[in-house]
Amino acid sequence: MSRWAIVVLVVVGSLVVLVPLGGIVAFIYVMGENHKNMRFPSDDVTVARCALDPAAGRPVAELSVTSRAAREGTFRVTVEFQGEREKAVGQGVGVVRDLAVGATGRATVVGARAYEGSSVRCLVYDAVFASTEPVATAMP
């Protein structure tokens, strides 16, 4: 086989490997840049207090929500209550409506059923933010 044929095979083989690899690397870089400052609503939620209601025996979570969103909106937070063995014993939902940017709101979430254990753990299971400000749309 001639020398130029070997060079062509090496170059084409290298391109077959390097071009897709370069595309994958570029894709990963661009996705990282696009999501660099991404935030999640659950980042704005903290469990301020978690206890069992002494009268009803139901788990209670007091939430503190400090909005870092770009707009005013409503936070809907689902809390999972866990028993001593970190097994889910119930869930509840708390809502903080019309929270301004940078403002802090509170919500109390109460479990649906009484829990027989001595202590409970409260975890933010899910948090959803919905803007309450109107969005301007362009009309054609």
Side-chain angles (χ1 to χ4, degrees), residues 23-89:
I24 292 170
V25 169
F27 175 78
I28 291 170
Y29 173 77
V30 168
M31 291 304 290
E33 287 297 309
N34 286 344
H35 296 94
K36 180 171 43 177
N37 296 322
M38 190 171 184
R39 52 172 294 286
F40 298 97
S42 59
D43 295 340
D44 295 350
V45 181
T46 56
V47 177
R49 184 175 165 272
C50 181
L52 289 171
D53 182 338
R58 296 181 349 181
V60 178
E62 292 180 8
L63 306 176
S64 176
V65 181
T66 302
S67 178
R68 290 186 206 85
R71 301 177 184 192
E72 180 179 305
T74 297
F75 285 82
R76 183 179 183 274
V77 182
T78 303
V79 175
E80 180 177 85
F81 300 106
Q82 293 182 346
E84 285 92 5
R85 295 191 176 131
E86 296 185 8
K87 183 178 178 187
V89 295

